[in-house]
Amino acid sequence: MIRFALRCRPDRHDFDGWFRSNEDFEAQIARGLVACPVCGSDKVGKALMRPAVSGTKRDGPTPAEIAPAAGTEVAAPPPGTSFANAEPPHPELAKAFARLQALAREVRSKADYVGPKFAEEARRIHYGETEARQIYGEAAPNEVKELLNEGITAMPLPPLPEDKN
Ligand SMILES: [Zn+2]
Protein backbone atom coordinates (compact mmCIF):
# COMPACT_ATOMS: atom_id res chain seq x y z
CA MET A 1 0.00 0.00 0.00
CA ILE A 2 1.10 3.52 -0.77
CA ARG A 3 0.01 6.50 1.21
CA PHE A 4 -0.63 9.68 -0.78
CA ALA A 5 -1.08 13.10 0.67
CA LEU A 6 -4.28 14.33 -0.96
CA ARG A 7 -6.08 17.64 -1.11
CA CYS A 8 -9.54 18.53 -2.32
CA ARG A 9 -9.55 21.34 -4.85
CA PRO A 10 -12.65 23.27 -3.65
CA ASP A 11 -11.58 23.85 -0.07
CA ARG A 12 -8.06 22.49 0.03
CA HIS A 13 -8.71 19.99 2.80
CA ASP A 14 -5.68 17.84 3.34
CA PHE A 15 -6.13 14.16 3.93
CA ASP A 16 -4.36 10.88 3.36
CA GLY A 17 -5.38 8.14 1.00
CA TRP A 18 -4.14 4.56 0.78
CA PHE A 19 -3.80 2.89 -2.56
CA ARG A 20 -2.33 -0.30 -3.91
CA SER A 21 -0.27 1.61 -6.44
CA ASN A 22 -0.05 4.88 -8.28
CA GLU A 23 -2.09 3.30 -11.11
CA ASP A 24 -4.75 2.29 -8.60
CA PHE A 25 -4.81 5.86 -7.30
CA GLU A 26 -5.14 7.29 -10.85
CA ALA A 27 -7.94 4.85 -11.65
CA GLN A 28 -9.91 5.63 -8.49
CA ILE A 29 -9.50 9.38 -9.06
CA ALA A 30 -10.65 9.01 -12.67
CA ARG A 31 -13.78 7.16 -11.55
CA GLY A 32 -14.51 9.70 -8.80
CA LEU A 33 -14.05 7.10 -6.09
CA VAL A 34 -11.83 9.27 -3.94
CA ALA A 35 -13.75 11.86 -1.97
CA CYS A 36 -12.69 14.44 0.56
CA PRO A 37 -13.58 13.15 4.05
CA VAL A 38 -14.34 16.72 5.17
CA CYS A 39 -16.55 18.10 2.40
CA GLY A 40 -17.22 15.06 0.28
CA SER A 41 -15.90 16.59 -2.92
CA ASP A 42 -14.51 14.14 -5.43
CA LYS A 43 -12.36 16.85 -7.01
CA VAL A 44 -9.25 15.56 -5.36
CA GLY A 45 -5.62 15.59 -6.30
CA LYS A 46 -2.28 14.84 -4.79
CA ALA A 47 -1.10 17.50 -2.43
CA LEU A 48 2.42 18.73 -2.79
CA MET A 49 4.81 16.42 -1.02
CA ARG A 50 4.82 17.44 2.60
CA PRO A 51 8.54 18.12 2.95
CA ALA A 52 8.28 20.70 0.19
CA VAL A 53 5.16 22.28 1.69
CA SER A 54 6.26 22.56 5.27
CA GLY A 55 9.98 22.90 4.75
CA THR A 56 11.52 26.28 4.01
CA LYS A 57 15.00 25.00 3.27
CA ARG A 58 14.40 25.08 -0.46
CA ASP A 59 13.26 28.69 -0.41
CA GLY A 60 16.74 30.07 0.00
CA PRO A 61 20.33 29.05 -0.14
CA THR A 62 21.56 26.95 2.72
CA PRO A 63 24.34 28.35 4.93
CA ALA A 64 26.75 26.07 3.10
CA GLU A 65 25.80 27.75 -0.17
CA ILE A 66 26.19 31.24 1.26
CA ALA A 67 29.61 30.72 2.77
CA PRO A 68 31.63 30.62 -0.49
CA ALA A 69 29.94 33.80 -1.71
CA ALA A 70 30.90 35.63 1.47
CA GLY A 71 34.48 34.62 0.86
CA THR A 72 34.51 36.44 -2.49
CA GLU A 73 33.59 39.75 -0.89
CA VAL A 74 36.07 42.43 -1.82
CA ALA A 75 37.89 43.85 1.14
CA ALA A 76 37.32 47.54 1.68
CA PRO A 77 40.32 49.59 0.57
CA PRO A 78 42.22 51.37 3.31
CA PRO A 79 41.14 54.99 3.75
CA GLY A 80 43.06 57.47 1.65
CA THR A 81 43.69 55.04 -1.17
CA SER A 82 43.55 56.83 -4.49
CA PHE A 83 42.03 55.05 -7.45
CA ALA A 84 42.67 57.81 -9.94
CA ASN A 85 45.54 56.03 -11.64
CA ALA A 86 44.42 52.51 -10.96
CA GLU A 87 43.26 52.01 -14.54
CA PRO A 88 44.71 53.18 -17.83
CA PRO A 89 42.92 56.25 -19.23
CA HIS A 90 39.94 55.72 -21.46
CA PRO A 91 41.26 55.19 -25.01
CA GLU A 92 39.13 58.02 -26.42
CA LEU A 93 40.19 60.39 -23.66
CA ALA A 94 43.81 59.47 -24.18
CA LYS A 95 43.45 60.16 -27.92
CA ALA A 96 41.71 63.47 -27.29
CA PHE A 97 44.42 64.49 -24.85
CA ALA A 98 47.11 63.48 -27.35
CA ARG A 99 45.41 65.65 -30.00
CA LEU A 100 45.31 68.58 -27.57
CA GLN A 101 48.98 68.10 -26.82
CA ALA A 102 49.76 68.01 -30.54
CA LEU A 103 47.76 71.21 -30.98
CA ALA A 104 49.60 72.76 -28.05
CA ARG A 105 52.94 71.89 -29.68
CA GLU A 106 51.81 73.42 -32.95
CA VAL A 107 50.66 76.59 -31.22
CA ARG A 108 53.93 76.86 -29.35
CA SER A 109 55.97 76.35 -32.49
CA LYS A 110 54.09 78.99 -34.49
CA ALA A 111 52.85 81.45 -31.91
CA ASP A 112 54.73 84.08 -29.96
CA TYR A 113 55.21 83.36 -26.30
CA VAL A 114 54.13 86.40 -24.31
CA GLY A 115 54.36 84.92 -20.84
CA PRO A 116 52.09 86.29 -18.14
CA LYS A 117 51.10 89.21 -20.38
CA PHE A 118 48.85 86.96 -22.46
CA ALA A 119 45.58 88.74 -21.60
CA GLU A 120 47.08 92.17 -22.16
CA GLU A 121 48.68 91.18 -25.46
CA ALA A 122 45.60 89.36 -26.69
CA ARG A 123 43.54 92.46 -25.99
CA ARG A 124 46.02 94.72 -27.87
CA ILE A 125 45.89 92.35 -30.86
CA HIS A 126 42.13 92.24 -30.73
CA TYR A 127 41.82 96.02 -30.73
CA GLY A 128 44.46 96.46 -33.43
CA GLU A 129 47.01 98.10 -31.14
CA THR A 130 49.72 95.70 -32.18
CA GLU A 131 50.60 93.28 -34.95
CA ALA A 132 48.00 90.56 -35.45
CA ARG A 133 49.55 87.21 -34.69
CA GLN A 134 49.10 84.02 -32.72
CA ILE A 135 50.27 84.27 -29.17
CA TYR A 136 50.34 82.06 -26.16
CA GLY A 137 51.19 82.60 -22.56
CA GLU A 138 49.84 82.43 -19.09
CA ALA A 139 46.56 83.91 -17.95
CA ALA A 140 44.47 83.66 -14.83
CA PRO A 141 41.03 82.09 -15.20
CA ASN A 142 39.31 85.42 -14.51
CA GLU A 143 41.46 87.10 -17.18
CA VAL A 144 40.44 84.47 -19.73
CA LYS A 145 36.82 84.98 -18.75
CA GLU A 146 37.14 88.74 -19.37
CA LEU A 147 38.75 88.09 -22.75
CA LEU A 148 35.93 85.79 -23.76
CA ASN A 149 33.41 88.41 -22.64
CA GLU A 150 35.13 90.88 -24.96
CA GLY A 151 34.86 88.41 -27.83
CA ILE A 152 38.55 87.49 -27.75
CA THR A 153 39.15 83.81 -28.27
CA ALA A 154 41.42 82.12 -25.82
CA MET A 155 41.79 78.45 -25.26
CA PRO A 156 43.65 76.59 -22.57
CA LEU A 157 46.64 74.59 -23.66
CA PRO A 158 47.31 71.31 -21.89
CA PRO A 159 50.62 70.88 -20.12
CA LEU A 160 53.17 68.99 -22.17
CA PRO A 161 55.44 66.24 -20.86
CA GLU A 162 58.48 68.41 -21.58
CA ASP A 163 57.13 71.07 -19.19
CA LYS A 164 58.19 68.86 -16.33
CA ASN A 165 61.83 69.02 -17.33
ZN1 LIG B 1 -12.73 19.02 1.07
Side-chain angles (χ1 to χ4, degrees), residues 106-124:
E106 193 182 333
V107 166
R108 291 186 189 199
S109 66
K110 292 178 180 172
D112 283 346
Y113 179 66
V114 296
K117 293 183 177 176
F118 174 81
E120 182 187 329
E121 197 65 17
R123 196 168 276 118
R124 289 179 65 196

Side-chain angles (χ1 to χ4, degrees), residues 19-34:
F19 305 89
R20 283 194 298 274
S21 64
N22 191 57
E23 287 73 27
D24 178 44
F25 163 76
E26 299 284 357
Q28 292 202 36
I29 287 289
R31 284 181 280 162
L33 298 178
V34 182

